[in-house]
């Protein structure tokens, strides 16, 4: 099994939007920047669109991991790719034609990520596992930062890790929601290799230290 070095992706949902550029400067030791796009329909919250993604793009050299929590995401894939998304994640719950949407993301030049709500089983992405660059297992119900990690998702992470390794696939396994120094160890042990963290990074006074602590905890556990 060739486990990759853990990647830390701070979620700007917990950042101060009035000073995004300086907030982004505090996380330059991270690997990716996670950007949560919410439409007030798929999830109750409303956040940002391609215009802000484009502004984030200009303010950091880190790749943008864009998490679309919107209905009919296929309508906006092109726009988010053009705005500078390196990775575009779509929820399987919003994609009746998931295989087509994955291809659309890749044709737009981005990495394709498929995202699973806590109540959605691993089997829902099994048929497309060979067609994606990433699977994102939600460890909270999407919509808000600062929620509690749902530990019963660990089995789903283990299952996906097993399938990815058995098939020798080059697919990143990401977790999002309630990740902190303790829960990151559980997720890493279960097989995740990319870790989104909102509050655990932006709630810390020293963001660099928070990122280093998360990275260390993930490395030690894996
Ligand atoms: C939740 C978002 C997450 C959120 C994570 O819907 O997808 O990315 O910002 O925040 P924490 O790490 O605070 O749970
Ligand atoms: Zn997210």
């Amino acid at each position: 099994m060739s486990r990759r070095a853990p990647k830390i992706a701070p979620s700007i949902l917990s950042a101060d939007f009035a000073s995004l550029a300086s907030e982004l400067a505090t996380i330059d030791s991270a690997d990716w920047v996670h950007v949560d796009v919410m439409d007030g329909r798929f999830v109750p919250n409303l956040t940002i669109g391609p215009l802000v993604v484009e502004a984030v793009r200009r303010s950091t050299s880190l790749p943008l991991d864009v998490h679309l929590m919107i209905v009919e995401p296929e309508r906006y894939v092109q726009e988010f790719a053009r705005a500078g998304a390196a990775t575009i994640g779509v929820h399987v719950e919003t994609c009746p034609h998931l295989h087509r949407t994955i291809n659309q993301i890749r044709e737009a030049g981005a990495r394709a990520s498929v995202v699973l709500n806590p109540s959605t089983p691993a089997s829902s992405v099994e048929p497309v596992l060979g067609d994606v660059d990433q699977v994102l297992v939600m460890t909270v119900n999407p919509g808000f930062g600062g929620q509690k990690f749902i530990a019963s998702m660990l089995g789903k992470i283990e299952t996906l890790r097993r399938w990815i390794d058995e098939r020798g696939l080059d697919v990143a396994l990401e977790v999002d929601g309630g990740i902190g120094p303790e829960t990151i160890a559980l997720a890493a042990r279960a097989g995740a290799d990319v870790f989104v963290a909102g509050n655990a990074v932006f709630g810390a006074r020293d963001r660099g230290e928070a990122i280093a602590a998360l990275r260390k905890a993930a490395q030690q556990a894996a």
Side-chain angles (χ1 to χ4, degrees):
M1 183 166 72
S2 61
R3 191 72 67 79
R4 315 174 201 194
K7 284 191 165 60
I8 309 295
S11 161
I12 58 165
L13 192 60
S14 301
D16 178 1
F17 275 71
S19 340
L20 256 190
S22 56
E23 289 283 80
L24 286 163
T26 67
I27 59 161
D28 59 359
S29 61
D31 299 282
W32 296 347
V33 176
H34 185 81
V35 184
D36 288 306
V37 175
M38 307 187 186
D39 66 352
R41 293 190 61 204
F42 177 61
V43 291
N45 206 358
L46 261 175
T47 57
I48 61 168
L51 210 63
V52 174
V53 171
E54 204 269 323
V56 171
R57 167 70 294 151
R58 282 186 277 111
S59 310
T60 179
S61 55
L62 299 178
L64 306 187
D65 178 39
V66 176
H67 176 190
L68 299 182
M69 286 160 274
I70 62 176
V71 298
E72 299 177 357
E74 66 280 359
R75 292 174 56 198
Y76 296 98
V77 161
Q78 197 80 45
E79 245 183 291
F80 281 104
R82 221 177 291 135
T87 302
I88 296 179
V90 292
H91 273 260
V92 303
E93 303 84 10
T94 63
C95 293
H97 305 290
L98 185 59
H99 183 268
R100 180 187 291 159
T101 307
I102 290 163
N103 286 338
Q104 194 193 348
I105 294 170
R106 285 181 152 181
E107 276 160 22
R111 294 173 70 251
S113 173
V114 286
V115 192
L116 305 177
N117 268 344
S119 60
T120 303
S123 58
S124 64
V125 295
E126 191 274 335
V128 295
L129 214 49
D131 304 303
V132 299
D133 300 288
Q134 178 168 297
V135 178
L136 166 49
V137 175
M138 290 306 299
T139 41
V140 297
N141 286 292
F144 304 94
Q147 302 183 79
K148 191 175 177 295
F149 181 83
I150 303 172
S152 55
M153 294 301 111
L154 293 169
K156 195 194 294 188
I157 298 166
E158 283 167 7
T159 300
L160 285 161
R161 167 53 57 202
R162 196 175 64 246
W163 291 346
I164 291 167
D165 288 349
E166 278 171 3
R167 300 177 198 185
L169 298 172
D170 184 19
V171 173
L173 185 51
E174 184 176 45
V175 285
D176 182 6
I179 293 294
E182 289 91 41
T183 52
I184 198 170
L186 302 175
R189 211 167 293 134
D193 52 13
V194 184
F195 306 89
V196 176
N199 269 24
V201 171
F202 285 102
R205 201 171 326 141
D206 188 328
R207 277 82 185 265
E209 236 170 57
I211 290 165
L214 289 170
R215 197 187 293 287
K216 191 168 164 213
Q219 273 163 349
Q220 284 175 345

